[in-house]
Amino acid sequence: MPSAGAVCPPLIVPIRKQVIGVPTNRIDTTTLIEISTETPDCKLYFTSDGAKPTPFQRKVGGREVTFRYIGPFTLKAGKRTLKAVAVSRDGIRESDVMTKQFVVEDVGQLKPGDTTTDYDTTDDYTSFFETSDLDTDNTLKSGTSSACKTKKKPKKSKSPTRSKSPLRSSLRRSPKEAWASSLQFDGTGAVDGHQSPQPQQIPDGPFNPTNYSGTQINVWGGAWPGMNANQSGVAFGVPAVPNNPYPTQMGYLTENMIQGCNPENRHVTVGDIRKMMDKKPKAVEAPPPAPEPQKAIEYPAYKDPPIEAVSPGKGDFKGNILHVYAHMLEHAKNNKDFRLKIAEPKIGRMLEATFEDEGDGYRISVVMGKPGIPHRIDSRRVGYFRDDSDDGCDYRYNNTACINVNKIEIKVEGTIKPYDKFNAEQDAEVLRGAMKGLGTDEDAITNVLAYRSNLQRQEVRSTFKTMYGKDLIKELESELSGHYLDTCKGLMMAPAEYDAYQLRKAIKGLGTDEDVLIEILCTRSNAQIKEIIKIYKEKFNKSLEKDIIGDTSGHFKRILVSLVQANRSDSTEVDRNKARQDARALLDAGEAKWGTDESRFNVILASRSYPQLRATFEEYQKVSKKDIEETLKSEMSGDLLSGMKTIVRCVRNKAGHFARQLQKTMKGLGTDDDTLVRICVSRCEIDMVQIKEEFQKLTGQTLEQFVADDITGDYRNIILSLVTGGPPPQTATRSGKGFVEAVKHKTEEELDEEVRMETENIKEDPTLLPAENFNAESDAEVLRKAMKGLGTDEDAIIDVLGFRSNEQRVEISKTFKTMFGKDLIKELEGELSGGIKVLARGLCMSPADFDAMNLHKAISGLGTDEEVLVEVICTRSNEQIKNFKAAYKTLYNKELEEDVVGDTSGNFQRLLVGLLQGNRDESKEFDRNKAKQDAQALHEAGEKKWGTDESRFNVILISRSYAQLRATFQEYAKLANKDIEDTLKSEMSGDLLKGFLAVVRCIRSKAAHFAKELYKSMKGLGTDDDRLCRILVSRCEVDMVQIKEEFQREFKQTLGMFIADDVSGDYKRLSLALIGEEKPKSAGGQKKKKGKICYGP
């Protein structure tokens, strides 16, 4: 902790004229408050609510309470208690807390002699800035706060019209016009002049009026001129004063460096003049005689090289290359897929080419560059390997030095890859439809932007402007907001454009966000930095280097300027002798020296290649017995330390560095959303796969878990999409606007093929498989022993029920009753409770008995659970419906249809009764003409009709085959320009709507439907254990593998993660066993006393 009292306490002074009869602590809302200290080079912090300033924890509960003083400010009306403290720049010393109370009157209400001090304000204390720098790890960040540069529009004052008062008799203007350029100040800081009839426009500069916790910064027009009389005053944004007691002096090295950065401003020395005089001008040679005009040459028209059976060979490399070229042209002409794939992208220059003799043929591999994307070394292409030596290098020796060639295997892979079925026009139409009219379809936007490569997104942006005459980014800005908007905007920019935009945002305005400068400049390659500099100049008409020089200082400025030169060595060779020399130089500049020679660190870390620096760090460890990072922490501080550490960590493991940064963004209370968005957008196509691996090693949790727990809404969905990657959700083209747009651009042949693929290629894979070496008697003995005596061995019960097929479990139930004369289900119900009891009971039943039991439970008693009726009746096949009807009759001696009729009514009753007949056509054939007729009938019964003819929907959706209905949905989308699900939602409601939606979704994808039902059972507070258990028991031996895939694709988390977070204990273990994510224990666990543990309600 800082030592109190080592710094002079600050002074809190109102800046105003003396008003007779008014105490000094009585001010109005236009009076400026100045805070100053006599100790130089200090930072000032204050609070306006009477709380003690805490410079190292400025936010409490996500709200900023302690503010950093940057200039005179005003207070809102009411009783205000200011507390201020001064802290030395290194954060080691701080002053005593100075407290002062003010009674603040509205403008024009302050009168001499009025001593009323009873004020009660309810103004909310809002943040001092929109975003603020966070002081983490008890380390005060050097430099000006990055939060200060976010601009807010000045709010119009709601105070009454100002009357003439003795306090402000000389101030003629309202506070709103305090920044007008025509203001004239007298010697005491009062305004001299008359109110302008037309208020000047607010200047578009780096300073904005910001309301925070009852205060307002007066930043337009600078600070009060009178405050400069106090040499110890802390002023911000004030122009240079001739009598500045602390003039800035540059050292010799700094002066030379700045002159080198600006060669036009360098003075010409006598030596330069002598060198110019020594240079002799070249003799002027006589111009050569004009050549004689030549006759025009007729060049032959270009023709493709002839196709020969064998190339010329014998050293004729040009002939061999032309031979390969001719055969590639012929192959492209005859192969449509190859021709379309190679014709689509814009290809850059050739990066690599290899020629290999494979015995029975020759393999020619060519790697072409992608414009705007840096090339990454892939060991699988160029044959790099990891050697068994300590440093992973292959050494060669010569007479002078030991040189090793970098052979470190570098594998990087992004999560976002080019979309195979990319269509720029179709994507542009989807985005236009998502933003057109009332409301915005954020899911449609996410499904396009988060599942296309950057080049594809740039093409969509260009196509959107061509088709609609509007800029896509501006359209997104008008429809979206918050960090979801920031993510979408970043995805729509090219990588260099996005980096340039972030750098400009970090530099522009009040203060500088040094973290952004470090993150971008210290982690990008030479080619990337050069492209950033070029784009920065094009977009903002400014030099990035000059902006950095103007906004930073000291050694931190020098390291950034060095990196902006983009002159780091790209060599892959490592010179061990040079590495030893650099290691010794670093040791002499740091540990072995009184003080630190930062310039030596700058030279080595900013210019050496990454392989060379890895070798240097190894040699440094040997000579100093200390890691280079430890040395940096002991020798440097602030932004310079952050920059140097970033370079070192990127040299060693760039993915590990970004994993560490992502952990910091979500660690503790609150989220650093700007950094989270920046890293996810910039790395999702480069090395996000490796970043996720490093993140899990660092935290023990997946990055997806961290993101899902820390943020919410559409913002969470798009970040999870970038982190998870993979193909876009099938729901994007299976339903909704995406489905409609996809259907409109396909021919009938393509639609027929799509229906056949969806009908014939339905995969159903269970997660619960039959156990090998099954023995019913042995399992019955285990269950009996687990439930016998005091306590219950739940682990033994799970090891049997959770790892046997349904046929095996039913046989165990029969054997148990034969051996012990007791019903296994009743025994389990007597020993277990909560969710595990529901699961165990269902697992011991046949599928038909389990469905019949759930239907009887939903119908019997008061009320009816219509969701269970929909879930069971609307999702089963004809055979399954007949089986559970028979089981219902056997178990309860009642007809299921009669009970359903007695407990339901209206169109919902008709839907259920129709499904219970089990007469759906289950053939895989379909008729396109009939599909068009049914689509027309549905359209006329719903969208084109006043009211809705539910019976027509009933007839078609209950009786047609799944293949026929898929074709009908396609024709309906083309006819109505609307998806069938959207029509159902607009035409129906209640249980009838739920029933029809369940039918439609099961037709499209039964696995996706049950994935959504599982998500609903665990979403929000509490768990719907009955629904969760019903789906787990009924689907674990049918299609749980596909359900898990759909769950992860739709919700960006695994089903196992969701279950583990939502339930616990033995209930969780049995649930995970049913989805194939739990292993049986070899031996039974210890018995638990009855009544001690209870799961579920």
Side-chain angles (χ1 to χ4, degrees), residues 1067-1083:
Y1067 179 22
K1068 177 181 78 173
R1069 183 165 177 257
L1070 182 54
S1071 299
L1072 293 176
L1074 296 180
I1075 65 172
E1077 297 190 15
E1078 182 74 16
K1079 295 181 179 180
K1081 294 186 177 180
S1082 57

Side-chain angles (χ1 to χ4, degrees), residues 838-839 841-843 845-855 872 876 884 887 891 1026 1029-1031 1033-1034:
V838 178
L839 286 176
R841 179 175 56 206
L843 290 170
M845 295 180 175
S846 66
D849 289 347
F850 183 64
D851 285 344
M853 181 201 71
N854 285 314
L855 289 171
V872 177
R876 302 298 192 256
F884 69 64
L891 292 174
D1026 289 337
C1029 294
R1030 270 197 316 271
I1031 299 175
V1033 171
S1034 62

Side-chain angles (χ1 to χ4, degrees), residues 498-560:
Y498 182 65
D499 285 343
Y501 168 77
Q502 291 294 329
L503 288 171
R504 180 59 182 164
K505 182 180 174 183
I507 295 173
K508 186 180 179 182
L510 184 61
T512 307
D513 191 344
E514 291 83 359
D515 290 340
V516 177
L517 302 181
I518 291 169
E519 179 188 313
I520 295 177
L521 296 179
C522 296
T523 63
R524 302 301 192 257
S525 65
N526 290 344
Q528 289 173 317
I529 292 176
K530 289 177 181 177
E531 187 67 18
I532 291 169
I533 294 171
K534 176 184 173 184
I535 298 297
Y536 192 93
K537 180 67 175 178
E538 291 176 358
K539 292 288 182 182
F540 309 111
N541 196 26
K542 290 178 178 291
S543 167
L544 176 60
E545 182 178 331
K546 290 182 179 179
D547 281 357
I548 290 173
I549 293 173
D551 259 47
T552 57
S553 60
H555 294 289
F556 179 58
K557 176 180 72 177
R558 295 173 192 171
I559 186 67
L560 294 183

Side-chain angles (χ1 to χ4, degrees), residues 622-683:
K622 295 176 183 178
V623 298
S624 70
K625 308 301 180 184
K626 196 173 183 180
D627 186 70
I628 185 68
E629 281 195 46
E630 296 178 13
T631 297
L632 292 175
K633 292 176 183 177
S634 63
E635 296 292 326
M636 302 175 188
S637 62
D639 296 320
L640 178 62
L641 172 61
S642 299
M644 294 288 188
K645 283 198 306 183
T646 299
I647 295 174
V648 170
R649 289 172 178 172
C650 287
V651 168
R652 287 174 162 170
N653 186 350
K654 190 171 287 188
H657 166 71
F658 283 112
R660 192 187 300 265
Q661 294 300 108
L662 285 173
Q663 184 198 20
K664 289 181 180 179
T665 64
M666 296 176 281
K667 187 178 180 181
L669 294 175
T671 306
D672 185 356
D673 298 284
D674 291 337
T675 303
L676 176 61
V677 170
R678 222 170 30 244
I679 294 176
C680 290
V681 169
S682 61
R683 310 307 298 184

Side-chain angles (χ1 to χ4, degrees), residues 78-134:
K79 186 175 180 180
R80 306 292 177 187
T81 301
L82 294 184
K83 290 194 175 184
V85 66
V87 180
S88 61
R89 182 169 294 277
D90 56 10
I92 299 176
R93 299 172 298 159
E94 72 176 15
S95 71
D96 294 329
V97 178
M98 178 61 69
T99 304
K100 192 153 188 176
Q101 290 187 347
F102 291 98
V103 177
V104 187
E105 297 280 358
D106 281 325
V107 177
Q109 295 183 2
L110 185 62
K111 299 178 180 180
D114 186 7
T115 58
T116 304
T117 60
D118 187 15
Y119 289 94
D120 185 17
T121 179
T122 59
D123 291 340
D124 293 334
Y125 294 99
T126 55
S127 177
F128 185 39
F129 303 108
E130 277 188 11
T131 58
S132 63
D133 56 329
L134 301 178

Side-chain angles (χ1 to χ4, degrees), residues 873-935:
I873 298 175
C874 296
T875 62
R876 302 298 192 256
S877 65
N878 291 345
E879 183 181 357
Q880 290 172 324
I881 290 174
K882 292 175 181 177
N883 289 339
F884 69 64
K885 283 172 66 179
Y888 193 92
K889 176 69 174 177
T890 302
L891 292 174
Y892 306 108
N893 196 26
K894 294 181 179 181
E895 291 293 338
L896 175 59
E897 185 177 328
E898 293 178 1
D899 283 356
V900 169
V901 171
D903 263 48
T904 58
S905 62
N907 291 305
F908 180 58
Q909 178 196 88
R910 296 179 193 127
L911 170 65
L912 297 181
V913 171
L915 290 169
L916 284 174
Q917 306 314 303
N919 290 330
R920 182 187 294 280
D921 179 9
E922 293 186 339
S923 67
K924 295 184 178 181
E925 300 298 325
F926 64 95
D927 184 344
R928 176 64 59 179
N929 290 330
K930 189 176 181 180
K932 293 179 180 178
Q933 295 171 5
D934 286 345

